[in-house]
Amino acid sequence: MKLFSKDETFFDHFRQLAVYMGSASSLLRTLFENPADAARIAVEIKKVETDGDAVVHLINQRIDTSFVTPLDREDIHVLATRLDNVIDLINGAARRVVMFRVKAPRGGAVEMADVLVRASAEILASVGDVAKRVKMLEHGRKIKALEEEGDVLYAQSVGALFEHDEPAIEVLKWKEIYDSLEEAIDECEDVSNVLESIALKNS
C-alpha cells in the first residue's frame, strides 16, 4: 500500500512541528545576537515549545484512535518525539542564557544557532519530500554536513573558552550553553535518520 494512501493528517502535524522548529531556532539565533533581550525572546520560544507539545499530543491521540495509519505507529511516535525534542532543546538553551544572566553575545553561539536554523529548514523540506526516496537521501546528506559543521563550531567555541584567562564561572556557563546547542544540532540528525528510514520503508 502506497505512502499517503491513508489518513494524511499526521503529515500536516509533522510539517507543523517542523515549522515550529524553524521558528524556535530563528528566535534562538536572535537571542544569541541580542542576549540583553533574552528574557523576552525566551518567552516567545517557550510559547513555540508549548504549541509543539500540543501538536505532539494531537498526534498521540490520533495514533490511539485511527484504525489505519499511513505509517507504522511506532515510526509516527518516534518522528513526533524527535521533532519535539529539538524544540525542547532549543527552549533549554534559551532558558540557560536567561538563568546565567548572559549579557554579551559570542560569535560561536550565534554561528551554532545559525546551523540550527539551516538544519530546521532542511528538515521542513525533508518532511515534504518523505515520499521521495532520492530527495530524502539528499536532505540527509545536507543535514549530516550541518551536524559536522556544528561539531567543528562546538570544538572551536569550547576551545576558545580556555585560550584566555576567562573567569571559571564564565567557562562553566558557556560550556553548558554550547553543550545544549550541540545536543540540539545532533538531534536534528536523529530526525533526519528517522525520516530516511520512513522513506526507505515506504518506497
Side-chain angles (χ1 to χ4, degrees), residues 4-201:
F4 299 119
S5 61
K6 310 172 193 76
D7 184 354
E8 291 186 34
T9 309
F10 288 106
F11 297 98
D12 294 332
H13 291 327
F14 294 147
R15 279 188 285 270
Q16 186 60 66
L17 284 172
V19 168
Y20 286 151
M21 268 183 61
S23 298
S25 57
S26 293
L27 284 166
L28 188 67
R29 182 176 60 188
T30 301
L31 181 150
F32 280 115
E33 291 169 339
N34 306 280
D37 204 18
R40 180 190 64 78
I41 299 169
V43 170
E44 293 183 46
I45 292 173
K46 177 60 182 174
K47 171 66 166 59
V48 175
E49 189 257 348
T50 301
D51 290 343
D53 286 345
V55 173
V56 173
H57 180 68
L58 287 174
I59 289 171
N60 288 332
Q61 277 188 321
R62 187 164 285 277
I63 290 172
D64 291 338
T65 57
S66 294
F67 181 67
V68 181
T69 57
L71 305 172
D72 289 344
R73 291 171 196 271
E74 181 62 22
D75 286 340
I76 293 170
H77 175 72
V78 170
L79 179 54
T81 300
R82 292 293 192 193
L83 288 163
D84 189 48
N85 283 350
V86 179
I87 302 170
D88 289 345
L89 289 165
I90 290 170
N91 181 55
R95 285 178 55 237
R96 282 169 175 78
V97 174
V98 175
M99 286 189 302
F100 296 160
R101 307 292 194 270
V102 171
K103 300 300 180 191
R106 293 203 181 209
V110 175
E111 290 177 277
M112 289 181 76
D114 186 67
V115 170
L116 271 173
V117 171
R118 287 180 281 142
S120 296
E122 204 62 47
I123 285 169
L124 178 58
S126 298
V127 171
D129 286 338
V130 73
K132 303 167 187 172
R133 180 179 172 183
V134 173
K135 283 199 172 183
M136 279 302 307
L137 294 174
E138 252 176 62
H139 292 306
R141 283 192 291 271
K142 290 177 182 176
I143 292 168
K144 176 61 179 172
L146 287 166
E147 188 270 336
E148 289 172 353
E149 182 181 341
D151 283 346
V152 170
L153 288 168
Y154 172 77
Q156 290 173 343
S157 300
V158 173
L161 294 174
F162 299 94
E163 282 179 359
H164 308 290
D165 196 16
E166 293 259 14
I169 190 66
E170 288 299 308
V171 172
L172 288 171
K173 287 194 300 189
W174 278 101
K175 173 64 166 56
E176 189 164 333
I177 290 168
Y178 290 139
D179 284 351
S180 64
L181 285 166
E182 187 198 28
E183 192 176 356
I185 294 168
D186 287 347
E187 190 71 18
C188 289
E189 188 182 12
D190 290 338
V191 171
S192 177
N193 290 339
V194 173
L195 283 164
E196 278 190 49
S197 173
I198 288 170
L200 291 169
K201 278 188 198 176

